[in-house]
Amino acid sequence: MELSKIKMSNENKKQILFQIKVLNNYCNKSEYLNDGEVLFLNKALPAFIGLLPLKVYLINSFNLPFERLVINENFCKKNSRLKNLADLRYPPREIQNDMDYNRASLKGQTVFYAGTKGSLPNSIEIQPQKGKVITESKWKFNSGILKMLIICQNANLAMSNPNDLLDYYNEYERLLNPLDQNNREVVESAYRFIIKAFTRKVNSQIKQGYLVSAVLSNLFFTNKKNPIDAIYYPRVPNNGSVMNIAILPDILDKQFRMIEATESIVLSNPGKNKWGAFTTGICKSYDEDTLELNWVDQIIPSNGFFKNFLQEYNVDLN
């Protein structure tokens, strides 16, 4: 039952709004749901998604490359240089069973994440700590069509990032206009729930807080009628002024290319509007067959401070 194709009774509206209220309550406490409640959500959300008139956008270009920041030891288990593109692009499939929930991925699911507008927003979200080796990389869309879901169905959200979202929000409003009043109320309530799932602040120590948006994302990615390749959603620490993109690994490999990577050592912990890092290597190419990254070392000062710093934090750049 898709709400854009039926006329809904007052009683049906009341029932569905109550169901959405229950889902909202689960979303609010998702960090602390027990196994039975998690199972309930996994069963309830597919039927919920079937109600919505989902707009999937066919994207053939992006103005700027997406930028990704990773803490190296999360991918190579050491505070050292990443040697291969397979370690840089998304969590390697070999370790995906160790992956916890994330904003747009389930436990054990590897997805590529990147953002817009540079390194500072990335550092605010990722929070790399002093002494860590990090790698920032830029990814350019090559060619083809990217089937993308855009999380934008809220006026305040659209106005926080009008260049990226306002046109899409206006199209959402046009989608609502022909709907019967009862249907419109339900669709708006449903999208408010989706917005909440993708924009609620989550305790980084309790990854199950991402449960609802992760389950929703998997349903969007695997939708039998209209599966998507990517989800474009507001970055929470930046209050929606910066966007994130989540892309399926096979799609990234086929349609995107890493055009530059910068390796750095974090010298001071990220603050609200600033952080400090020292560049140790730059990579602008990689072997097409082996995916080995071609790093060009940057000059590291030979003074005592840097020598002691590298030893203190067990930094290995070889």
Side-chain angles (χ1 to χ4, degrees):
M1 178 180 72
E2 186 179 314
L3 293 179
S4 62
K5 299 178 180 179
I6 64 165
K7 185 174 177 67
M8 180 179 294
S9 69
N10 289 335
E11 184 59 30
N12 281 343
K13 180 188 77 170
K14 184 177 179 180
Q15 290 175 354
I16 295 174
L17 290 179
F18 176 76
Q19 292 168 0
I20 294 173
K21 182 179 179 180
V22 171
L23 292 174
N24 270 298
N25 289 336
Y26 274 74
C27 185
N28 290 337
K29 59 178 184 179
S30 54
E31 286 89 342
Y32 309 105
L33 296 180
N34 60 40
D35 289 346
E37 291 168 325
V38 171
L39 181 62
F40 167 79
L41 272 178
N42 276 285
K43 289 184 175 181
L45 288 174
F48 166 80
I49 290 301
L51 297 173
L52 294 177
L54 289 175
K55 172 66 176 178
V56 176
Y57 291 90
L58 304 180
I59 308 297
N60 60 15
S61 66
F62 293 95
N63 291 331
L64 295 170
F66 290 101
E67 300 191 35
R68 173 171 169 80
L69 186 154
V70 299
I71 300 171
N72 290 15
E73 68 179 9
N74 290 346
F75 296 88
C76 66
K77 305 301 182 182
K78 296 191 299 182
N79 198 27
S80 61
R81 171 168 289 175
L82 298 180
K83 304 291 182 65
N84 197 282
L85 189 68
D87 298 321
L88 180 60
R89 56 192 175 184
Y90 42 75
R93 299 175 195 272
E94 292 78 13
I95 67 168
Q96 69 180 20
N97 289 336
D98 299 327
M99 302 300 295
D100 208 335
Y101 292 107
N102 210 325
R103 185 68 70 178
S105 50
L106 296 169
K107 277 186 174 181
Q109 185 178 37
T110 183
V111 167
F112 172 86
Y113 290 94
T116 60
K117 300 186 180 178
S119 62
L120 180 57
N122 283 335
S123 71
I124 292 172
E125 179 172 49
I126 305 299
Q127 292 287 305
Q129 298 300 295
K130 183 178 180 180
K132 299 300 182 184
V133 180
I134 62 173
T135 305
E136 299 170 87
S137 52
K138 295 182 180 181
W139 298 79
K140 183 180 179 181
F141 183 67
N142 282 334
S143 60
I145 299 294
L146 192 72
K147 294 183 290 185
M148 191 163 74
L149 180 68
I150 299 174
I151 306 297
C152 64
Q153 297 80 8
N154 175 280
N156 291 333
L157 195 60
M159 292 310 299
S160 71
N161 193 351
N163 290 338
D164 274 335
L165 298 181
L166 189 55
D167 286 345
Y168 297 118
Y169 174 74
N170 288 336
E171 187 167 348
Y172 165 69
E173 282 289 310
R174 289 192 291 272
L175 178 149
L176 293 176
N177 286 336
L179 296 183
D180 176 80
Q181 181 60 35
N182 284 350
N183 297 44
R184 177 168 181 148
E185 287 183 39
V186 170
V187 170
E188 288 178 322
S189 180
Y191 271 111
R192 283 195 295 270
F193 167 70
I194 292 174
I195 293 288
K196 172 188 282 187
F198 276 91
T199 60
R200 71 184 295 265
K201 292 183 178 180
V202 171
N203 183 337
S204 62
Q205 303 303 312
I206 310 177
K207 297 289 188 179
Q208 188 175 289
Y210 293 119
L211 172 68
V212 175
S213 62
V215 173
L216 287 172
S217 297
N218 189 57
L219 291 170
F220 296 142
F221 284 133
T222 60
N223 187 297
K224 290 183 179 179
K225 291 184 179 179
N226 199 4
I228 63 170
D229 303 321
I231 302 174
Y232 198 52
Y233 63 94
R235 179 174 282 179
V236 175
N238 304 101
N239 299 315
S241 62
V242 176
M243 300 298 289
N244 272 355
I245 192 168
I247 306 173
L248 292 174
D250 289 344
I251 300 300
L252 181 87
D253 293 345
K254 292 175 183 176
Q255 296 185 251
F256 285 79
R257 180 176 180 82
M258 195 277 290
I259 57 173
E260 183 177 345
T262 301
E263 175 191 80
S264 304
I265 301 172
V266 180
L267 299 180
S268 62
N269 292 333
K272 185 175 181 181
N273 295 308
K274 63 180 181 179
W275 70 305
F278 183 84
T279 300
T280 54
I282 294 176
C283 172
K284 294 189 177 182
S285 66
Y286 55 88
D287 188 288
E288 297 288 346
D289 296 320
T290 66
L291 302 184
E292 182 178 352
L293 300 171
N294 299 320
W295 287 106
V296 176
D297 291 331
Q298 303 300 289
I299 296 175
I300 299 177
S302 57
N303 59 49
F305 168 80
F306 270 92
K307 182 178 180 180
N308 294 334
F309 191 91
L310 298 181
Q311 291 177 346
E312 179 182 356
Y313 290 98
N314 296 315
V315 175
D316 178 10
L317 300 180
N318 296 319

